[in-house]
Amino acid sequence: MNIQSALTLADYQAVMPEMFLLGMTCLILIVDLFLSDKQRDITYLLSQATLVGSAILVYLMHGKGAPLAMYGSVVSDAMSDVLKVTVALVSAGVFLYSRDYLRQRNLLKGEFFVLGLFGVLGMMIMISSASMLTLYLGLELLSLSLYAMVALDRDSKQASEAAMKYFVLGALASGMLLYGISMLYGASGSLQINEVAAYATWQSSEDMILVFGLVFVVVGLAFKLGAVPFHMWLPDVYQGAPTAITLYISTAPKVAAFAMFIRLLAEASGGLQAEWGDMLTVLAVLSLAVGNVVAIAQSNIKRMLAYSAISHAGFVLLGVLAGTAAGYSASMFYAITYALMALGGFGMIILLSRKGFEAENLEDFKGLNDRSPWLALMAMILMFSMAGVPPTVGFYAKLAVLDAIVRQDMVWLAGVAVFFSIIGAFYYIRIVKLIYFDKPTDEQAITTPADTQVAMTINGLAVLGLGIFPGALMAICVAAFV
């Protein structure tokens, strides 16, 4: 059979954003070869245009592509469209915050943008996977890009060590996931998510190969998300990587990880919800406990935010383990808004850093209000949102997840989540105290480009605005699982 002739226009429409992104990334890779360091802004602008163009294409192709395209490898549904737009726009924000930070450290290279774009391509493939093989290929494309990005500063021993740890543990996680997928394939005889789902529903927990495969899949997913007890790589990588790379790792990949959980657990293994639900319960409780408690002891803000990310991963898992459409939509809302909050949080660290100085310690936030009242206000909103203080979006996101699990009669789990959230509020509010009630140790003026300041303002106000008016975004998330 002629493969090319079997593909229809609807197949190509379903993958149009990915094709555009791949084509533009290759073009940027070639163009960048002929640019000097002084002309690197051209690479930056082309990269931003590519991300915005991809988001627009996702919007334009909504509902036009085949629901199941490319011989069943790609799915085009509401969830994938929303998450792909989120990934593209959040990554555009990452590039914006990172540009001047990298330039000051002589790290503004084409490699950063090209690897970042290939990572976005990997995330989009993961998000719209209808086959476990496609999902794995997308994950590896993202992972390889991230390993290289962490080692971008080749003169930094800390960054090289972090990259090595990330690579070794990431490869281990990929091996676990691939082994689990191979067992699911061995049991069901298919790599298609819908066919595995049908087999899992029919066999339930009687097929031990299926159950063992599921265990390895959950372990691999937990590694990738940074859930406890598979979290040890996360603080070291966050601290060791240049802050611009940490910013990238902490935002959009979390959204893609959420999609991976939905595709492999909710869709492919829905019939085994009782089995993976128990495993996710353990992972969620441990992540909430360890993330929030250990974060209190951190003096480095990047490590503190790493443990914070672990605790937020616990909340994302709570929504997934609810096993209902309400739980999935609440978890999706949480993942999207967390990406927005992390973008602002690490963006603030970048704004406070300058050439020869990294604002990585909590002490560096002392007296920020005296140096820049507006940035102090934005930092306070972001910290309150991460802590879950109303009326910020972090509060509403937590509330939606808690509501979903209470409706499933898991009241004790909601109580555990609230308890550790209250403990976690301490380290966020400590930063607000440093900003407003302590005297600055560094009197040097904060100088940031106008576009970065505007981005931070939009970022901070969006976190507040989405908390006051969460209805539109929540409606989009609910519609994704109808």
Side-chain angles (χ1 to χ4, degrees):
M1 183 177 71
N2 186 346
I3 291 178
Q4 291 301 321
S5 64
L7 292 174
T8 63
L9 177 63
D11 283 288
Y12 290 109
Q13 285 177 326
V15 295
M16 191 71 77
E18 286 87 350
M19 290 169 62
F20 171 76
L21 182 57
L22 176 61
M24 284 298 294
T25 306
C26 293
L27 177 67
I28 292 169
L29 183 63
I30 295 169
V31 169
D32 188 71
L33 289 174
F34 300 96
L35 298 177
S36 65
D37 284 346
K38 291 181 180 177
Q39 297 172 312
R40 203 65 67 198
D41 279 342
I42 295 174
T43 307
Y44 165 76
L45 292 173
L46 282 173
S47 303
Q48 291 287 34
T50 302
L51 290 171
V52 175
S54 299
I56 293 172
L57 270 176
V58 172
Y59 176 75
L60 293 177
M61 292 296 123
H62 177 66
K64 292 181 180 174
L68 208 56
M70 296 291 168
Y71 306 102
S73 299
V74 174
V75 61
S76 177
D77 56 10
M79 186 189 87
S80 63
D81 289 347
V82 175
L83 294 183
K84 283 195 280 190
V85 169
T86 304
V87 164
L89 296 183
V90 168
S91 300
V94 170
F95 285 177
L96 175 59
Y97 282 134
S98 304
R99 182 186 52 174
D100 285 288
Y101 175 90
L102 293 171
R103 178 182 286 127
Q104 289 170 0
R105 290 152 185 79
N106 297 322
L107 294 174
L108 191 67
K109 309 290 183 187
E111 290 92 324
F112 172 76
F113 298 107
V114 172
L115 288 170
L117 291 174
F118 273 125
V120 172
L121 178 62
M123 286 185 254
M124 285 191 169
I125 292 172
M126 289 165 63
I127 288 168
S128 55
S129 295
S131 158
M132 291 188 287
L133 184 61
T134 314
L135 191 147
Y136 185 76
L137 291 174
L139 175 64
E140 283 306 288
L141 180 58
L142 169 64
S143 299
L144 292 172
S145 302
L146 292 179
Y147 303 149
M149 288 175 80
V150 172
L152 190 68
D153 187 0
R154 284 170 290 187
D155 297 329
S156 168
K157 289 182 180 176
Q158 198 180 19
S160 301
E161 183 185 337
M164 184 59 74
K165 281 182 184 174
Y166 196 16
F167 175 72
V168 172
L169 293 175
L172 182 65
S174 295
M176 292 275 189
L177 185 63
L178 191 60
Y179 189 58
I181 288 175
S182 70
M183 292 181 83
L184 293 184
Y185 172 72
S188 65
S190 175
L191 286 169
Q192 297 299 114
I193 285 175
N194 54 356
E195 292 177 10
V196 175
Y199 181 82
T201 304
W202 174 56
Q203 283 290 329
S204 187
S205 58
E206 295 172 3
D207 190 332
M208 292 311 294
I209 297 177
L210 200 65
V211 175
F212 273 115
L214 187 63
V215 171
F216 280 102
V217 166
V218 171
V219 169
L221 291 175
F223 254 117
K224 293 296 181 185
L225 187 64
V228 179
F230 310 107
H231 66 289
M232 291 310 294
W233 62 271
L234 204 112
D236 292 342
V237 172
Y238 270 40
Q239 184 180 4
T243 306
I245 312 301
T246 311
L247 172 63
Y248 184 90
I249 297 171
S250 64
T251 51
K254 303 296 182 190
V255 177
F258 161 76
M260 198 162 58
F261 269 86
I262 292 295
R263 298 293 185 211
L264 285 178
L265 296 186
E267 294 184 1
S269 312
L272 299 171
Q273 189 189 333
E275 282 73 17
W276 59 255
D278 290 341
M279 288 187 272
L280 290 200
T281 302
V282 174
L283 293 173
V285 171
L286 287 176
S287 298
L288 288 166
V290 173
N292 282 313
V293 172
V294 179
I296 294 173
Q298 305 304 315
S299 58
N300 181 292
I301 192 165
K302 286 166 72 176
R303 287 189 77 86
M304 191 205 84
L305 290 177
Y307 282 102
S308 157
I310 292 167
S311 70
H312 286 291
F315 257 99
V316 172
L317 293 179
L318 286 182
V320 176
L321 72 86
T324 60
Y328 300 149
S329 56
S331 190
M332 182 173 167
F333 184 89
Y334 201 102
I336 292 173
T337 54
Y338 172 72
L340 193 62
M341 291 186 287
L343 182 68
F346 283 101
M348 188 61 70
I349 298 174
I350 284 181
L351 291 188
L352 297 184
S353 301
R354 57 181 181 274
K355 188 174 184 179
F357 173 73
E358 300 289 334
E360 292 186 351
N361 295 312
L362 297 183
E363 303 291 309
D364 299 324
F365 280 75
K366 276 185 173 179
L368 177 59
N369 184 50
D370 295 338
R371 300 169 64 197
S372 174
W374 185 249
L375 283 181
L377 178 63
M378 294 300 110
M380 182 183 73
I381 292 172
L382 290 164
M383 290 301 124
F384 277 168
S385 186
M386 287 191 185
V389 175
T392 58
V393 73
F395 169 74
Y396 189 83
K398 283 183 167 61
L399 190 66
V401 169
L402 294 175
D403 179 60
I405 58 173
V406 167
R407 286 175 187 274
Q408 294 304 302
D409 295 328
M410 291 185 275
V411 180
W412 70 272
L413 201 51
V416 169
V418 171
F419 175 73
F420 285 113
S421 292
I422 293 170
I423 291 176
F426 170 79
Y427 56 85
Y428 295 118
I429 294 174
R430 181 174 59 184
I431 295 179
V432 176
K433 178 252 179 190
L434 290 172
I435 291 172
Y436 281 96
F437 297 101
D438 286 20
K439 291 295 176 188
T441 53
D442 182 3
E443 299 286 351
Q444 189 160 339
I446 300 170
T447 53
T448 54
D451 58 348
T452 315
Q453 281 209 22
V454 170
M456 179 53 70
T457 301
I458 294 172
N459 201 159
L461 295 182
V463 166
L464 184 61
L466 283 171
I468 299 171
F469 305 105
L473 180 58
M474 181 50 91
I476 291 172
C477 294
V478 170
F481 294 98
V482 171

